[in-house]
């Protein structure tokens, strides 16, 4: 594995959805998430991290060092237990073993970071209890994402659908079709901002240059293996990366984010946007502070 990253980063992800539901809200009947005050669409950080995890799992197929800790169908305790087995830790004798080896907690944490990509990247809470104290610690990951928010208000639509497959025999005797509903956003361009701490990578998880390159690849392709009728047409349009020439950074993150502007191509057009081509994305490179460079991907 390559060296741990030595530079701080911030990044902006621009992605869009067409005729789909990018992130349903279970508190609102799975309607697309909306900020009720502004009408802007929302996509949670948890949703985006899930896409990144799924991409890494798809391309790496659980190879050494790139397994996924938070995944469907695998209880967290199963992975926690594996760390104890590999490090020859007896849960019943844990207190005694810790007395003999004060670094035991750190060894468990480091083993989890070394084997699971998403722990090394996003961190994890691994303090669970099953009979004895099965505790792999808590890790604050160097990579953090905020909520994605749409550039303009979105207008969800409720679409009524019919199907000819009837659920029960009794219903089949009464009717030939069943009705259903699905929610879509006709079009929305979303912006998400993220942070990468080289300091946390060095001190805690060992997030490396190889891990960083895989993260960029996963972000750019996180929707490519996740297509479904419910989510419509989703794509990452641009990934804008700010790289500091130091571990702790050379400028506040907000100053860098403010250099990224998304505007309508025709500012006099008051109709809702229906395509990415309706927008213009610019980065004011002249406003970048010394010691910070910018790269646009996608």
């Amino acid at each position: 594995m390559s060296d741990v990253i030595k530079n701080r980063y911030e990044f902006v992800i621009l992605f869009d959805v067409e005729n789909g539901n990018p992130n349903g809200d279970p508190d609102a009947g799975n309607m697309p998430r909306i900020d009720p005050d502004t009408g802007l669409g929302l996509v949670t950080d948890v949703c985006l991290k899930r896409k990144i995890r799924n991409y890494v799992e798809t391309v790496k197929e659980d190879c050494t060092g790139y397994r996924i800790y938070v995944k469907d169908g695998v209880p967290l305790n199963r992975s926690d237990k594996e760390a104890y087995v590999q490090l020859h830790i007896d849960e019943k004798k844990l207190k005694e073993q810790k007395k003999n080896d004060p670094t035991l907690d750190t060894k468990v944490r480091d083993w989890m970071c070394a084997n699971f990509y998403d722990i090394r990247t996003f961190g994890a809470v691994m303090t669970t209890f099953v009979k004895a104290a099965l505790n792999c610690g808590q890790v604050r990951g160097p990579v953090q994402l905020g909520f994605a928010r749409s550039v303009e208000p979105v207008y969800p639509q409720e679409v009524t659908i019919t199907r000819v497959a009837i659920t029960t025999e009794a219903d089949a005797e009464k009717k030939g079709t069943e009705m259903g509903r699905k929610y879509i956003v006709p079009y929305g361009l979303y912006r998400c901002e993220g942070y990468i701490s080289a300091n946390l990578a060095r001190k805690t998880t060992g997030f490396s240059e190889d891990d960083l390159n895989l993260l960029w690849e996963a972000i750019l392709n996180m929707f490519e293996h996740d297509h479904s009728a419910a989510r419509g047409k989703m794509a990452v349009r641009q990934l804008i990366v700010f790289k500091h020439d130091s571990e702790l950074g050379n400028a506040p993150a907000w100053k860098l984010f403010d250099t990224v502007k998304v505007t309508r191509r025709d500012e006099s057009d008051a109709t809702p946007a229906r395509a990415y081509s309706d927008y213009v994305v610019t980065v004011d490179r002249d406003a970048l502070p010394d010691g910070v460079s910018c790269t646009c991907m996608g």
Side-chain angles (χ1 to χ4, degrees):
M1 189 170 290
S2 61
D3 292 337
V4 174
I5 62 170
K6 295 179 174 61
N7 304 87
R8 183 181 126 184
Y9 294 85
E10 275 84 39
F11 57 93
V12 176
I13 309 168
L14 295 173
F15 65 91
D16 61 359
V17 60
E18 182 180 325
N19 294 328
N21 185 351
N23 187 200
D25 185 350
D27 289 328
N30 208 44
M31 289 184 62
R33 295 182 188 272
I34 299 289
D35 180 335
D37 292 328
T38 64
L40 298 178
L42 300 174
V43 174
T44 66
D45 60 315
V46 174
C47 174
L48 297 177
K49 287 177 182 177
R50 179 76 271 151
K51 311 303 181 189
I52 293 170
R53 286 184 170 102
N54 288 347
Y55 179 84
V56 172
E57 185 177 13
T58 297
V59 299
K60 290 297 185 180
E61 296 185 339
D62 281 342
C63 71
T64 303
Y66 291 95
R67 295 166 59 193
I68 298 299
Y69 180 66
V70 180
K71 62 187 295 185
D72 184 42
V74 180
L76 301 180
N77 282 144
R78 185 183 303 171
S79 300
D80 297 338
K81 180 69 175 179
E82 186 179 345
Y84 274 48
V85 171
Q86 293 295 321
L87 296 174
H88 308 291
I89 299 172
D90 187 341
E91 295 173 55
K92 297 179 181 179
K93 301 178 180 179
L94 186 58
K95 290 184 179 180
E96 180 181 342
Q97 287 183 291
K98 283 186 178 181
K99 288 182 180 179
N100 296 330
D101 184 0
T103 65
L104 196 59
D105 286 339
T106 301
K107 289 179 179 177
V108 173
R109 182 201 69 189
D110 290 348
W111 190 92
M112 296 297 285
C113 287
N115 283 273
F116 294 95
Y117 177 82
D118 56 338
I119 296 177
R120 204 161 58 246
T121 304
F122 303 124
V125 177
M126 301 172 286
T127 52
T128 56
F129 297 90
V130 177
K131 296 182 180 179
L134 189 61
N135 184 347
C136 293
Q138 298 184 32
V139 176
R140 183 181 171 194
V143 180
Q144 299 299 328
L145 298 175
F147 275 32
R149 187 180 296 271
S150 64
V151 174
E152 295 182 312
V154 295
Y155 303 96
Q157 295 181 6
E158 182 180 18
V159 180
T160 302
I161 58 176
T162 61
R163 67 177 186 180
V164 297
I166 307 304
T167 304
T168 67
E169 291 288 349
D171 286 343
E173 295 177 0
K174 303 174 185 177
K175 56 186 178 181
T177 60
E178 286 188 337
M179 308 296 289
R181 290 180 175 84
K182 66 187 300 185
Y183 299 101
I184 65 167
V185 172
Y187 183 80
L189 177 63
Y190 290 74
R191 171 176 174 153
C192 176
E193 297 169 348
Y195 315 82
I196 302 178
S197 169
N199 186 257
L200 284 175
R202 175 177 60 82
K203 290 181 176 179
T204 308
T205 73
F207 185 78
S208 70
E209 293 290 344
D210 285 346
D211 293 332
L212 180 66
N213 291 331
L214 179 57
L215 176 67
W216 300 146
E217 178 186 330
I219 290 174
L220 289 168
N221 295 282
M222 62 182 171
F223 300 120
E224 294 306 309
H225 303 284
D226 190 59
H227 295 298
S228 73
R231 281 184 284 279
K233 179 182 175 183
M234 295 190 68
V236 173
R237 295 295 187 161
Q238 278 206 53
L239 171 60
I240 302 166
V241 178
F242 298 99
K243 179 180 180 180
H244 301 253
D245 65 8
S246 65
E247 180 181 285
L248 296 180
N250 301 76
W254 65 266
K255 284 189 176 182
L256 306 181
F257 293 145
D258 281 355
T259 65
V260 180
K261 304 293 184 184
V262 183
T263 57
R264 289 291 289 267
R265 188 174 300 277
D266 182 358
E267 294 184 354
S268 64
D269 187 357
T271 61
R274 285 295 181 265
Y276 183 67
S277 58
D278 291 339
Y279 293 99
V280 175
V281 179
T282 58
V283 180
D284 186 0
R285 296 178 184 271
D286 293 335
L288 292 179
D290 292 338
V292 178
S293 59
C294 177
T295 303
C296 295
M297 309 179 193

